[in-house]
Amino acid sequence: MLLDSGSQRNFITEEMVQTLRLKRDKIKHVMSRIGEIEQHASSAVGLKIKSRVSDYAVFLPMIVVSKITGQLPPQNTKHTQHKIGRASCRE
């Protein structure tokens, strides 16, 4: 599942839709990716996400895709620690 508050759409994999037994809606949607590759989507789902520690909840429409990312490189990345006032942030 990909939730990106800066994005125009949210995506969920076919596998996750089946695992959660979500009800699908039929759509016709074409997505363009880098390199002008097109991917077609034929279904969407609605997903309600709730906080475990508060009353906050949000309903998100999600486009069902077979795969969200391509092959990721099998290597570790370095993590660096940053101090911002009293808080710390890890990249």
Side-chain angles (χ1 to χ4, degrees), residues 12-28:
I12 188 167
T13 62
E14 178 71 40
E15 180 181 5
M16 183 62 72
V17 169
Q18 290 178 11
T19 300
L20 296 174
R21 297 181 182 170
L22 299 174
K23 181 183 172 282
R24 300 166 189 265
D25 296 317
K26 289 189 177 200
I27 63 167
K28 289 184 180 179

Side-chain angles (χ1 to χ4, degrees), residues 48-91:
K48 184 176 182 180
I49 299 176
K50 299 180 352 179
S51 170
R52 293 184 302 177
V53 296
S54 74
D55 292 335
Y56 178 79
V58 64
F59 178 83
L60 298 172
M62 305 191 78
I63 296 174
V64 181
V65 293
S66 59
K67 200 162 131 179
I68 292 177
T69 64
Q71 193 70 11
L72 299 175
Q75 63 188 38
N76 293 328
T77 58
K78 269 189 178 177
H79 295 286
T80 56
Q81 194 80 21
H82 300 285
K83 275 252 190 235
I84 304 170
R86 292 183 188 175
S88 66
C89 175
R90 188 172 180 173
E91 291 185 57

